[in-house]
Amino acid sequence: MSEELSTPDDAMFQAMRDVPGAVLRTYLAPEAKVMFESLNKNACTSLKWMMADLAGEDLSTFKAGWSGYIADSEAVHNRDLWQVSPRLNQLTAEQRAEIRPDNDWFIFAVVRDPRLRLFSAWQNKVLMENPHITQFRNRDWYPRHPLTRESVIEDFAKFVAFFENEPEHMLRRDPHFRGQVDMLIEHAIPYTRIYEIGEFKQLTSDLSEHVEKVGYDGEVHVPRANPTPLRPIGALFENGVRERIEELYADDFDRFGHLWDFSRTEAAEPWSDKDLAACETESQLGRRIDELHRLARTAHAENIESRKRIAALEKDVARLSVSPLRRAGSRARRSAGRIRRRVVEARRD
């Protein structure tokens, strides 16, 4: 197709390329005609497993391996392990142009109250010491351990203040902490529906109806994955914390604020000692996985260097071993040549 014809039909992809990570956050199940735009901390682990199943991936191949994942369930985030589901940039412009609701595609995303989402991201990545975040252990906003009710509330407030005061920090660009409106790209992606996380039953019902309609031979199964021990409670958002978060994610509240009722969080029961102990155990596991991951990476790097040195030494040995033989062979050939000439000369005489 000419550029004039292909560009308008491919407007979605062109717009998504301008948003960091957007193409990688897009998951396709072509046979089921389902497209999922993933937003971190919005049940995305469970929904990615669902998409992998719908796409026909071999689920047994999703293993943590050398990564710093806490469990194999997190391996679904590694796009390199997806072998069946195509990425948008692997499709032609014509194929991408087919992905739209009026062509029987079901295109969806899930949003969540930013106050609850930020606490979930902080708990999962920072409080429980995810290996990818431990590089910030020396910062004054990093949580203390062993944790208590008071330390969790205080350290979350410190993190929110840091987040507000350092707008250029790399974590502000991390998709776990980025605003949802920025990642949804609604001006380009023709969503069938954007669901609130509390509408999960409606989502699975709509998806089941859709796959049956398009003749997909399979079921919609959404496993529960990546739970966090501490539920959000009102005390976390006192002393101006709630207002700070609402300002940080003003765009999300402007677009979806009507979906979120904060009264349930304010009325939530305080954490029990069992909840806190479970979170501390998860944190210890995170620290241990981080330590093992660092050791494994160091050993892996040392192994690569050792293999390089061995290969270089083997090359030197081969050169040193072959060269004397070649020199000896060359001398022998010259001697034989002289002898043959003398024999010829002797016969002439």
Side-chain angles (χ1 to χ4, degrees):
M1 295 180 67
S2 67
E3 185 67 20
E4 290 75 19
L5 291 175
S6 64
T7 301
D9 290 341
D10 209 21
M12 178 179 72
F13 180 63
Q14 300 298 332
M16 293 176 73
R17 288 199 307 179
D18 295 332
V19 179
V23 172
L24 288 178
R25 286 196 303 273
T26 304
Y27 292 81
L28 302 171
E31 288 191 17
K33 302 189 81 170
V34 177
M35 171 175 151
F36 168 50
E37 194 65 18
S38 172
L39 274 63
N40 301 65
K41 300 313 301 174
N42 295 0
C44 71
T45 303
S46 297
L47 290 169
K48 286 176 185 178
W49 278 108
M50 179 200 75
M51 290 298 297
D53 190 27
L54 286 177
E57 296 283 351
D58 181 355
L59 303 186
S60 67
T61 63
F62 288 84
K63 302 295 183 183
W66 282 94
S67 72
Y69 294 133
I70 300 298
D72 280 341
S73 62
E74 296 183 17
V76 76
H77 300 301
N78 183 352
R79 287 309 299 262
D80 291 337
L81 298 179
W82 292 67
Q83 299 298 311
V84 178
S85 173
R87 302 182 190 183
L88 280 175
N89 59 349
Q90 294 173 327
L91 302 178
T92 65
E94 291 82 359
Q95 290 172 321
R96 288 191 291 264
E98 293 294 313
I99 303 174
R100 58 182 194 276
D102 64 4
N103 191 36
D104 292 330
W105 274 77
F106 190 90
I107 304 172
F108 77 100
V110 174
V111 296
R112 185 180 189 181
D113 185 328
R115 294 161 294 205
L116 313 189
R117 180 173 177 260
L118 181 61
F119 175 65
S120 177
W122 175 79
Q123 180 181 178
N124 182 245
K125 297 299 177 183
V126 186
L127 184 62
M128 296 197 302
E129 305 218 60
N130 186 282
H132 301 291
I133 302 293
T134 52
Q135 59 182 302
F136 302 113
R137 278 194 182 127
N138 64 339
R139 298 294 298 269
D140 57 4
W141 49 262
Y142 202 82
R144 295 160 287 174
H145 290 276
L147 56 81
T148 64
R149 292 177 184 82
E150 293 73 21
S151 72
V152 172
I153 293 169
E154 292 170 2
D155 291 344
F156 179 62
K158 286 181 183 178
F159 181 82
V160 173
F162 140 73
F163 218 61
E164 180 183 44
N165 295 329
E166 296 193 32
E168 301 303 319
H169 194 278
M170 62 182 295
L171 287 181
R172 292 289 294 267
R173 300 186 297 276
D174 187 301
H176 294 86
F177 302 100
R178 279 181 63 188
Q180 296 164 92
V181 167
D182 290 342
M183 294 190 289
L184 283 170
I185 324 174
E186 285 188 84
H187 67 280
I189 300 177
Y191 288 102
T192 304
R193 180 169 172 177
I194 296 174
Y195 294 83
E196 207 283 324
I197 197 169
E199 299 177 310
F200 231 77
K201 288 185 178 179
Q202 185 64 54
L203 167 59
T204 54
S205 175
D206 291 347
L207 271 171
S208 297
E209 182 180 340
H210 164 77
V211 297
E212 182 179 354
K213 176 183 175 182
V214 299
Y216 174 78
D217 185 19
E219 297 181 356
V220 174
H221 174 62
V222 186
R224 188 167 186 265
N226 206 21
T228 48
L230 302 180
R231 62 189 170 279
I233 60 175
L236 284 163
F237 304 95
E238 295 175 351
N239 302 314
V241 172
R242 173 179 175 175
E243 290 75 13
R244 282 193 173 103
I245 297 173
E246 290 172 354
E247 180 62 28
L248 282 166
Y249 297 99
D251 289 344
D252 288 357
F253 282 100
D254 288 344
R255 173 67 180 88
F256 299 106
H258 63 284
L259 298 175
W260 299 317
D261 179 5
F262 200 61
S263 61
R264 291 180 60 184
T265 299
E266 292 177 310
E269 291 291 324
W271 305 309
S272 66
D273 291 340
K274 184 179 179 180
D275 295 332
L276 292 161
C279 191
E280 184 62 42
T281 298
E282 291 285 345
S283 301
Q284 293 171 357
L285 176 62
R287 287 194 293 273
R288 181 57 177 156
I289 292 294
D290 178 50
E291 180 183 17
L292 292 174
H293 186 224
R294 291 174 186 274
L295 289 171
R297 285 190 302 174
T298 299
H300 184 59
E302 291 175 348
N303 185 43
I304 290 174
E305 288 301 316
S306 295
R307 287 177 180 274
K308 289 180 180 178
R309 288 197 297 270
I310 290 171
L313 290 171
E314 288 177 341
K315 188 175 181 180
D316 288 343
V317 168
R319 178 175 55 79
L320 292 172
S321 300
V322 171
S323 294
L325 291 175
R326 286 180 176 172
R327 288 196 294 270
S330 179
R331 288 196 297 270
R333 285 192 295 273
R334 288 196 296 271
S335 298
R338 288 195 295 271
I339 293 172
R340 282 195 295 272
R341 288 195 295 274
R342 290 174 182 172
V343 170
V344 171
E345 291 173 358
R347 287 176 176 172
R348 288 175 181 172
D349 294 340

